[in-house]
Amino acid sequence: MKRTALLRHLRRHGCILKREGAKHSLWTNPQNGATETVPRHTEIPDNLARKICRGLGIPKP
């Protein structure tokens, strides 16, 4: 999955960017307080994208 598509999915479900790290971005879901890291690669494996969504408490992409 492309990183831009995953970020669009996260924004659509109410998640916000908390901060940028050296190699990862930290995203949080303000509804439940969950936080996940998203790597800054152009292509993110589908299993990792599902894990990020599950950790944030939003539907799978």
Side-chain angles (χ1 to χ4, degrees):
M1 159 173 252
K2 294 283 186 189
R3 183 176 192 267
T4 55
L6 177 61
L7 297 183
R8 192 175 319 118
H9 177 73
L10 296 179
R11 282 190 202 98
R12 215 177 281 145
H13 290 283
C15 296
I16 56 170
L17 178 66
K18 187 172 185 178
R19 68 177 172 86
E20 292 283 346
K23 296 182 181 180
H24 293 81
S25 302
L26 214 61
W27 283 78
T28 187
N29 186 346
Q31 295 171 347
N32 59 14
T35 303
E36 281 288 325
T37 57
V38 178
R40 230 183 265 131
H41 304 292
T42 55
E43 193 70 33
I44 295 176
D46 290 338
N47 287 338
L48 181 57
R50 283 193 292 271
K51 182 218 172 273
I52 291 168
C53 292
R54 186 173 49 244
L56 289 170
I58 62 172
K60 298 174 184 173

